[in-house]
């Protein structure tokens, strides 16, 4: 009986994680987060001194 409860909890957690990753994929949330981080970091990199040697 205890084994069955533990198994059901593990399956519920796995199903929840699957649904979460599917929602992240569906709404392209990972790339939206990357865009926000990129926009925050861009002013820093724009202000760095550039190396003129090519």
């Amino acid at each position: 009986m205890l084994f069955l409860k533990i198994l059901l909890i593990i399956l519920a957690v796995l199903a929840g994680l699957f649904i979460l990753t599917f929602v992240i994929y569906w709404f392209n949330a990972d790339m939206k987060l990357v865009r926000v981080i990129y926009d925050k970091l861009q002013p820093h990199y724009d202000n760095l001194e550039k190396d003129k040697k090519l």
Side-chain angles (χ1 to χ4, degrees), residues 21-45:
T21 57
F22 184 76
V23 168
I24 289 171
Y25 168 76
W26 187 264
F27 291 107
N28 201 18
D30 54 339
M31 287 293 103
K32 289 178 183 177
L33 177 64
V34 167
R35 184 66 190 183
V36 168
I37 294 170
Y38 179 82
D39 289 341
K40 300 266 189 213
L41 290 176
Q42 192 61 38
H44 168 72
Y45 287 108

Side-chain angles (χ1 to χ4, degrees):
M1 190 66 165
L2 180 63
F3 175 73
L4 185 60
K5 284 185 179 182
I6 293 172
L7 184 62
L8 286 174
I9 291 171
I10 291 172
L11 288 175
V13 168
L14 289 175
L17 288 174
F18 175 76
I19 291 170
L20 177 66
T21 57
F22 184 76
V23 168
I24 289 171
Y25 168 76
W26 187 264
F27 291 107
N28 201 18
D30 54 339
M31 287 293 103
K32 289 178 183 177
L33 177 64
V34 167
R35 184 66 190 183
V36 168
I37 294 170
Y38 179 82
D39 289 341
K40 300 266 189 213
L41 290 176
Q42 192 61 38
H44 168 72
Y45 287 108
D46 285 344
N47 290 330
L48 287 178
E49 187 175 325
K50 308 297 188 282
D51 187 13
K52 299 294 183 185
K53 292 186 257 176
L54 292 177

